[in-house]
Structure formats: C-alpha cells, structure tokens
Amino acid sequence: IFFPAGVYRVTETIIIPPYATLYGEGPDNTVIQLDDIGDSTLRPYVARTGDSLQQIGGNIGTNGATPPYSINISMMGFSATNQDTDVFLVEDADEINFEEVDFHGPLTTSDLSTSWNNTSCIRFASTPAMVCNQIKFYNCRFGGCVWGINTDESVNSVTVESSKIGRAHV
C-alpha cells in the first residue's frame, strides 16, 4: 500500500497483516499518527502486527489464520501523541523489515521516575510457540519514548543497522 505524503491521523491501532508492504514518501513526509486512544482497554500502539484474520494477542494464528509474516515497511513515520502509547508492537512475527522508518513518541526527555517509564518506540511480544524472528531495522530513527527498543520476551535474530536512537525526534 502506497501512502502519499501527509499526516494520517488515526484514533485506533492499525493492525498490519502478513505479506503486507507499506511505503511512503519519506519518514518525515508520510506519517501515521495516533492522536486519541479512545476507550481502549488494551495497551495502545500506533501500529502492530496481526494475523491474516486481524487477530492480535493470544489469538494470533488461531482459527486457521496465518501469523504475521513477511511484512515490509519503508519510507514512513509512526508517531504517538499520548504519553501512555507505545509506537509499534511486533508480536509473534517472522521476517519483518523496516527501512527508513521513524518511530516517534511524545516525550522530549526520558524520566524513569514517572508513569511514562514503560513507553517504547518498538516493543516485542512473543509466545513460546511463536517467537519473533528475523526482524530488521535499517536506517531507522527511534525517539520520543523512554525505550527505543524494549522487550522482556524471547526474540531471535533482531538486526538494527545504520539507525539512530535518541530522546527526542532524531
């Protein structure tokens, strides 16, 4: 899916399915921005991986669905404006490529003593049956969150190359 230059304001998390290719006209020009999280009981993300039936969480890969696989995202930005929002969740995913993608949260400083202490530009979630695998970040920028990349889950083969991690928009 091609996204022309512009800021795409959304009010719900975008679920990216297997075999998707998303690309824009540059990470400063094509931005998907989560403005308001509404009444969600789930932790909000600007975007996250999901299966072929748009299932997330413990339901990924059930009901005959294909788990998140072979996703390519390039030349785009993802931005959160709410201090309690992570930017992107890579969940139970395999072969995900990010190239020239910005992940930006609303913070201008990192303060681990506040309630913001768990915001991440990228968060990984894996189950024993589906461990995140072969995730690549090339020429990406991570900023405006306490953590650039964060997980307490098992992950395999995560590569970050020619990228920048900073407190504010880098």
Side-chain angles (χ1 to χ4, degrees):
I1 300 172
F2 172 66
F3 290 85
V7 176
Y8 297 84
R9 288 184 164 86
V10 297
T11 57
E12 292 183 20
T13 300
I14 294 174
I15 301 172
I16 302 172
Y19 305 105
T21 297
L22 284 65
Y23 65 101
E25 294 190 71
D28 293 324
N29 299 321
T30 302
V31 178
I32 296 176
Q33 179 176 302
L34 181 64
D35 281 334
D36 184 7
I37 58 174
D39 294 330
S40 176
T41 57
L42 300 172
R43 182 176 185 92
Y45 304 94
V46 178
R48 67 186 295 164
T49 56
D51 68 19
S52 58
L53 296 177
Q54 294 287 285
Q55 299 175 125
I56 57 174
N59 293 324
I60 286 182
T62 63
N63 303 312
T66 302
Y69 177 77
S70 190
I71 298 170
N72 296 290
I73 302 173
S74 61
M75 303 291 293
M76 297 182 68
F78 293 91
S79 177
T81 60
N82 185 297
Q83 68 189 19
D84 296 320
T85 302
D86 286 335
V87 180
F88 204 105
L89 176 65
V90 177
E91 182 176 28
D92 298 335
D94 192 12
E95 292 187 27
I96 313 299
N97 296 301
F98 298 94
E99 185 171 347
E100 292 189 51
V101 177
D102 281 8
F103 304 94
H104 190 258
L107 305 180
T108 56
T109 62
S110 292
D111 185 350
L112 298 178
S113 66
T114 70
S115 63
W116 310 342
N117 69 352
N118 214 13
T119 60
S120 302
C121 291
I122 296 290
R123 184 178 298 275
F124 288 101
S126 297
T127 60
M130 290 186 276
V131 175
C132 289
N133 184 47
Q134 295 184 358
I135 314 299
K136 298 176 184 170
F137 299 93
Y138 178 76
N139 202 22
C140 295
R141 296 184 295 186
F142 308 86
C145 290
V146 174
W147 306 105
I149 299 172
N150 186 11
T151 190
D152 57 0
E153 307 281 338
S154 295
V155 294
N156 292 326
S157 187
V158 175
T159 304
V160 180
E161 183 179 346
S162 300
S163 297
K164 296 180 182 179
I165 298 174
R167 285 183 291 189
H169 191 65
V170 291

